[in-house]
């Protein structure tokens, strides 16, 4: 077990000031929620899974690859002194310049174009004017809406020189995602994902945040099924042509958490560091295609190749 100095930030994160909401050019197609608007607190999954024909699969690849490029752009900007609002601006400008809508913007009232979760923030951090500091970890979550489909990915980045505990946390979280991906394929139970991730976290003495899950994705931002990252016996199996995300969140402390007054930012109750990685996947005859792998198959949280044959899960 690492000493407290490695497991917890030097000081608790505080909310910063927000810049005005960024505008999307009027010619860019928007998802329905960005047109109609919806109230905070009504989050949930649509009941229908996302299963695609060849045209839909091509659209998913395009949206996912654009999101991947945006994530790489933002990750390359991470350094001490840069604000998460600057990361948000860079991604917003990149996506809109490429004809895409940044999916988080106005989703149930979310005010920014990406989520940035620093140190003890579990997820849904709102980009603000706080400069990143030496030793921070920051997760950047990007979703692009392009040609009527969403592509979703995230990764955790180091700011300057990380602690040894942060290095292990990030490595184990990435390992957990990769192990879960290896199990995916036609007719594989979704519960196999949670068993794989939870086992790796347990072996490392880390906790899995249970309340935030992967999900179906496609024409709808968040669709069925809920992809649980902890041990469970929930029914349901993967279908050929189905797309969904896996996005485990691990922490060096306990799994309890609380939400800031902004209604979005979730932080660990004990202040311990967290890490998260996410990919959008497409079930194929061969196993699964990782749609958000960067060109060449390398990058944070990425398996070495896009096509991953399904491994025996033990939970069929």
């Amino acid at each position: 077990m690492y000493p407290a100095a490695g497991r917890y930030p030097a000081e608790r994160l505080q909310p910063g000031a927000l810049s005005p909401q960024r505008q999307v050019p009027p010619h860019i197609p928007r998802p329905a929620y960005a047109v109609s608007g919806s109230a905070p607190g009504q989050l949930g999954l649509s009941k229908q899974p996302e299963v695609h024909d060849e045209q839909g699969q091509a659209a998913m690849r395009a949206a996912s690859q654009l999101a991947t490029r945006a994530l790489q752009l933002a990750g390359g900007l991470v350094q001490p002194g840069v604000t998460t609002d600057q990361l948000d601006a860079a991604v917003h400008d990149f996506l809109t310049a490429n004809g895409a809508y940044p999916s988080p913007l106005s989703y149930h009232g979310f005010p920014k174009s990406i989520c940035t979760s620093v140190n003890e923030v579990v997820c849904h951090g709102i980009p603000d004017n706080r400069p990143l500091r030496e030793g921070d970890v920051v997760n950047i979550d990007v979703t692009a809406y392009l040609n009527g489909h969403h592509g979703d990915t995230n990764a955790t980045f180091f700011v300057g020189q990380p602690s040894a505990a942060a290095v292990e946390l990030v490595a184990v979280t990435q390992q957990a995602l990769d192990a879960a991906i290896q199990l995916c394929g036609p007719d594989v139970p979704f519960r196999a994902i949670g068993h794989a991730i939870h086992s790796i976290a347990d072996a490392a003495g880390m906790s899995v945040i249970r309340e935030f899950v992967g999900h179906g994705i496609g024409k709808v931002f968040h669709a069925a099924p809920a992809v649980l990252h902890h041990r469970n016996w929930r029914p349901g199996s993967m279908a050929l042509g189905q797309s969904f995300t896996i996005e485990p969140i691990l922490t060096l402390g306990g799994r309890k958490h609380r939400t800031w007054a902004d209604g979005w930012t979730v932080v660990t109750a004990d202040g311990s560091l967290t890490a998260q990685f996410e990919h959008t996947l497409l079930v194929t005859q061969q196993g699964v295609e990782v749609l958000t792998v960067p060109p060449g198959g390398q990058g944070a949280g990425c398996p070495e190749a896009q096509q991953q044959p399904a491994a025996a899960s033990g939970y069929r």
Side-chain angles (χ1 to χ4, degrees), residues 96-173:
T96 56
N98 283 276
Y101 183 91
S103 302
L105 186 64
S106 297
Y107 182 73
H108 296 277
F110 191 78
K112 293 295 178 180
S113 297
I114 61 174
C115 297
T116 51
S117 300
V118 178
N119 293 340
E120 72 268 32
V121 178
V122 171
C123 59
H124 302 159
I126 301 174
D128 61 25
N129 69 343
R130 175 192 180 273
L132 294 171
R133 300 174 183 174
E134 180 75 22
D136 283 349
V137 295
V138 56
N139 177 273
I140 304 172
D141 195 332
V142 176
T143 311
Y145 181 73
L146 181 69
N147 298 326
H149 292 71
H150 300 269
D152 193 2
T153 186
N154 76 52
T156 300
F157 299 89
F158 300 125
V159 183
Q161 184 64 39
S163 68
V167 170
E168 183 177 11
L169 171 65
V170 167
V172 171
T173 307

